[in-house]
Each structure stands twice: as C-alpha cells, then as structure tokens.
Amino acid sequence: MDRTAVVKVGAAASASVCALFGGVVLAQYIVAKKKRAGKKTRIIEMMPQFEKTTVHMRDPERVEQIICGLIKGGASKLQVITDFDMTLSKFAVNGKRCPTCHNIIDNCKLVTDDCRQKLLQLKNKYYPIEIDPHLTMEEKYPFMVEWYFKSHTLLVEQRLEKDKLAEVVRESDAALREGFEQFFDCLQQHNVPVFIFSAGLGDVLEEIIRQAGVYHPNVKVVSNFMDFDDNGVLKGFKGELIHVYNKHDGALRNTEYFKQLREYCNIILMGDSLGDLSMADGVPNVENILKIGFLNDKVEERLDKYLDSYDIVLVKDETLEVPNAILQKVL
C-alpha cells in the first residue's frame, strides 16, 4: 500500500472514531437535555419539605409555576386566606382527635351533661354527612345549616358567660399545627395580610390565637361570633351563619375588605374542606393563587377529589412545614 493510500485509510479511520465519539457526546447531551427539560420543579426540589410522604400533587409543574409567580410578586403582592379548624389547628395528636372551636365549648364545664350529650348526637349525625365523598356540596348544604342552627340554639340555652371563655380555652386541648409561630410571625414581619375565614366560633378562635401569642395586627378573623347581652351572657349569634359549605357567600360579603387589598393579587389559600376552595371568591384581580389542602380524614375515599381541587394536598400532616417552606422562598 502506497503512502497516499495509508493516509486515506488513516483519515477515514480517524473520521470514524471522531464520528463515533461525537455521536456518544451528542447522545449524552440529548439525554442530559431531556433530563433538564423534565426537571420542571427546581424550586420544589430545593425544598426538602416536599419530599415528605404526606405531600401529594397532581401537577408538580403547575405548582412550580404558581410558586414562581408568588416569588416574583414577593411580600408586597401576597395575602393569605385560610380556614382555621383542622387547617391551622391540629386534627389529632397521637391518634387522639383535637377539638374544634365548637368542640371546645361543647366539652367545657359551662355546658350541662344533657346539653353535651345532645351536641355529641348532632355531631355523630351530621359530621359523617359533611365528609361523605359521595354527596355533593349542594346536597350537604341544608344538613350543615340544620346542624349549626341546632347546636347554636343549644349553646344559647346554656347562657354562656363571656368572661369565662378565656379560661375555657386555657383548659382545653386546643392545639395549633407545628410551626404556627414561624407562620404567623413571618407574615407579620413582612406585613402580609392574613384572612382567617372560619365556620367555627370566632370568639373561641380569637382567644386561641391570642393565648398562643400570634394574634397580630395583620390578622383579620371572619367567623360565627357570639352575641352577648349587657351582662355578658350569650343571647345569640351575630350576622349571617357561616358553615363549611357557604363560604362563597361569606367571601362575597367581604368584598370590601378584599377591595382594600386589591394590590395583593397573589394568594396562598389553605383549607381542609372542598368548601374552603371558595374563600377567595371575593378577591379582585387575582394573578396567582396556590391552594393547599389538608386531608385529615377518610383519606382513601377523598384523595382524588382533593388532588383535583387543591394544588398541594397534605395527608395527615399535623405541621405547617410546607407552607412555611414556601413562605421562606416568597418573602
């Protein structure tokens, strides 16, 4: 073989090796690019709280996009709209149910045994209806009105005294979720408005957060407030009844409050019921809304519906770790 032929063969071989090497590099580049393209939740992946087994998301990419929007807006555009019972407060501790605002009164020493038994019977009848996954909110609505009306009537009959409420709360097993101090304090520090929208008892709710040291000036509570006579004895309830499935109506009644906050167009909404999803209905000019749902009971039967409705579902998670992690990124 002459010198020219050797050079040609060598060149061909070198070209083949280069082509092979180039192909490998190109393949690696494509694979890496695909991996990067599939990694659309970088911010979420930076938060170890999202790795907890309690965290469920139907569409992580959507959650990523919403959180990015919240981060871009920062504190000056953010407001928090949240339920209270079993959302800010715990559902259970060591397997034992924690009391709701109503339960705190139901179980206190100011209520007679006969009344307590009647209230328990009402709960046993209506609570299963409230969380029944096979009934629509419209079907549950009249039962909730009936439950609240009957229980409130019983409480009025007890002639509860206003000046005893603080002691009742202190003696109760009320418990806020782990991380509540960080949650409230962080929002106060950055002047983020907090709208607590509760179907519970407003007087009890306020006393719980007051005793916990987190009833800051940026917090507004809308709930069922007791109406006391001149002697401080319960005579009824103020305003329109708020129950778990009519929060849409309540949100619209608070349109004036939301109008004053029209610049706060980014929302973190937190609830434990599908009825809580309408709490932000009175907010104008919403740009980004992140819906976080706490699923505490009948998990298997209700998880799919919650995943369809909430962006993030926290299953039997008694902490505020995920909301706090998000706030750390946003604020």
Side-chain angles (χ1 to χ4, degrees), residues 129-289:
I129 295 174
E130 178 187 331
I131 64 171
D132 190 329
H134 305 297
L135 295 176
T136 65
M137 286 192 286
E138 290 74 19
E139 289 171 327
K140 296 176 182 181
Y141 192 110
F143 292 104
M144 297 302 102
V145 173
E146 196 174 280
W147 181 11
Y148 277 64
F149 176 78
K150 289 180 178 179
S151 63
H152 286 181
T153 299
L154 286 170
L155 292 181
V156 171
E157 291 173 357
Q158 296 299 292
R159 295 181 57 79
L160 301 174
E161 298 175 45
K162 183 177 183 177
D163 61 6
K164 300 283 181 66
L165 290 181
E167 181 184 356
V168 165
V169 170
R170 266 193 301 273
E171 294 177 349
S172 74
D173 293 325
L176 296 174
R177 291 187 186 270
E178 302 296 331
F180 75 88
E181 301 102 328
Q182 179 185 343
F183 179 80
F184 280 100
D185 291 349
C186 178
L187 293 169
Q188 160 68 3
Q189 181 183 347
H190 292 88
N191 296 312
V192 175
V194 179
F195 186 78
I196 300 179
F197 197 176
S198 172
L201 298 175
D203 308 81
V204 176
L205 188 167
E206 287 187 329
E207 193 59 40
I208 292 172
I209 59 176
R210 185 178 295 117
Q211 291 184 16
V214 293
Y215 199 173
H216 300 310
N218 63 317
V219 176
K220 177 180 175 62
V221 176
V222 171
S223 187
N224 297 302
F225 281 93
M226 297 175 174
D227 190 12
F228 297 93
D229 64 20
D230 293 339
N231 296 315
V233 176
L234 180 64
K235 65 176 183 178
F237 286 82
K238 300 175 182 177
E240 298 289 333
L241 171 69
I242 300 173
H243 61 76
V244 69
Y245 293 119
N246 75 338
K247 288 190 173 181
H248 166 78
D249 302 333
L252 296 184
R253 284 198 297 274
N254 284 277
T255 300
E256 196 58 40
Y257 165 83
F258 291 127
K259 280 183 179 178
Q260 294 171 12
L261 302 176
R262 66 169 56 252
E263 294 180 4
Y264 297 85
C265 51
N266 290 337
I267 300 169
I268 294 177
L269 180 148
M270 305 195 309
D272 74 300
S273 161
L274 297 181
D276 291 328
L277 292 160
S278 63
M279 293 189 296
D281 285 0
V283 181
N285 309 320
V286 176
E287 288 186 9
N288 299 284
I289 179 167

Side-chain angles (χ1 to χ4, degrees), residues 304-315:
D304 272 347
K305 283 188 177 180
Y306 272 59
L307 286 171
D308 287 340
S309 306
Y310 283 102
D311 301 302
I312 302 170
V313 179
L314 303 175
V315 174

Side-chain angles (χ1 to χ4, degrees), residues 283-331:
V283 181
N285 309 320
V286 176
E287 288 186 9
N288 299 284
I289 179 167
L290 181 68
K291 300 176 182 179
I292 303 174
F294 290 85
L295 181 52
N296 305 299
D297 203 3
K298 288 192 178 294
V299 172
E300 291 184 6
E301 299 94 324
R302 300 196 291 168
L303 181 57
D304 272 347
K305 283 188 177 180
Y306 272 59
L307 286 171
D308 287 340
S309 306
Y310 283 102
D311 301 302
I312 302 170
V313 179
L314 303 175
V315 174
K316 295 194 173 184
D317 186 334
E318 299 295 349
T319 78
L320 291 172
E321 288 182 358
V322 170
N324 283 338
I326 295 168
L327 289 175
Q328 281 188 318
K329 295 292 182 185
V330 175
L331 301 177

